[in-house]
């Protein structure tokens, strides 16, 4: 089924919801190579860092973490930046609709996005004055747009390419989910 929710209704049964298997206890203190340099240091030991402030907002528990999103009371809340839940088919359908709108210049446009909205959607944010394309929260090179990772601008020679294709865009999610579009 094509289902996308921001705020999960009670009508969706628990057996249809994937459980996020995040780190617990002292596990984040052991380096695994799974995180960018200084990510865990900033998250755990620098409470005023962008990383710590972003991952602790909203404060869902005394020791906030990604596993808070396994709680049904948290899943019910409408938090567009962090609480989207969808079936894989729905994510694929959404990206397919975006691809159609882009490649047909809006003639085939199931999402009914205006030309202006499509242009803004694909416009990268400006690089930071001090760190260029380094995402201050994640600590990685990334070209960000309207909530998505975008291809780096022409002439950019960093490792911040999001996908294997030059025009690909999308976003990773918590717990290993991943969706992107290759127009």
């Amino acid at each position: 089924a094509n289902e996308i929710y921001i705020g999960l209704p009670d009508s969706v049964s628990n057996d249809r919801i994937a459980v996020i298997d995040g780190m617990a206890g002292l596990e984040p203190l052991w380096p695994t190579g799974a995180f960018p340099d200084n990510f865990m240091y900033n998250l755990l030991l620098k409470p005023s860092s962008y990383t710590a402030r972003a991952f602790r907002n909203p404060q869902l528990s005394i020791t906030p973490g990604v596993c808070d999103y396994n709680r049904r009371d948290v899943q019910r809340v409408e938090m567009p930046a962090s609480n989207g839940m969808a079936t894989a088919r729905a994510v694929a359908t959404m990206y397919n609709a975006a691809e159609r709108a882009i490649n047909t210049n809006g003639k085939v446009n199931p999402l009914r996005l205006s030309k202006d909205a499509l242009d803004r959607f694909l416009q990268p944010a400006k690089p930071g004055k001090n760190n260029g394309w380094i995402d201050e929260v994640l600590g990685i090179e990334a070209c960000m747009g309207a909530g998505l990772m975008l291809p780096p601008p022409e002439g950019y020679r960093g490792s911040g390419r999001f996908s294997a294709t030059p025009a690909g865009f999308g976003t990773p999610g918590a717990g290993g989910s991943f969706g992107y579009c290759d127009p």
Side-chain angles (χ1 to χ4, degrees):
N2 282 346
E3 299 173 75
I4 296 178
Y5 302 103
I6 299 175
L8 192 67
D10 290 332
S11 60
V12 177
S13 64
N14 286 339
D15 64 337
R16 297 195 54 231
I17 301 169
V19 175
I20 297 172
D21 183 17
M23 289 191 232
L26 299 176
E27 191 177 0
L29 298 176
W30 280 271
T32 63
F35 297 99
D37 293 344
N38 293 322
F39 180 84
M40 284 300 170
Y41 172 79
N42 289 333
L43 180 66
L44 300 171
L45 301 174
K46 285 184 71 180
S48 63
S49 70
Y50 287 127
T51 304
R53 291 178 7 212
F55 279 85
R56 289 190 174 104
N57 182 18
Q59 178 110 18
L60 300 171
S61 63
I62 293 171
T63 56
V66 71
C67 289
D68 286 332
Y69 289 91
N70 287 328
R71 296 182 4 218
R72 212 41 203 248
D73 63 315
V74 173
Q75 294 169 349
R76 283 186 197 99
V77 180
E78 294 180 14
M79 295 182 281
S82 66
N83 209 22
M85 299 182 84
T87 62
R89 185 178 305 273
V91 172
T93 299
M94 179 188 68
Y95 280 118
N96 178 261
E99 181 274 330
R100 293 287 65 217
I102 292 165
N103 284 333
T104 65
N105 291 319
K107 290 183 177 108
V108 178
N109 193 347
L111 298 176
R112 297 187 185 117
L113 297 170
S114 69
K115 172 81 170 113
D116 187 48
L118 276 171
D119 290 344
R120 281 183 298 182
F121 181 67
L122 297 172
Q123 183 65 42
K126 293 181 180 173
K129 289 180 186 176
N130 298 325
N131 293 326
W133 293 103
I134 300 294
D135 181 292
E136 293 288 342
V137 172
L138 300 176
I140 60 171
E141 289 182 312
C143 181
M144 299 298 290
L148 298 168
M149 290 184 170
L150 299 171
E154 190 73 29
Y156 176 68
R157 298 288 182 249
S159 62
R161 176 145 296 166
F162 169 70
S163 68
T165 60
F169 63 88
T171 186
S177 61
F178 182 83
Y180 80 102
C181 181
D182 178 12

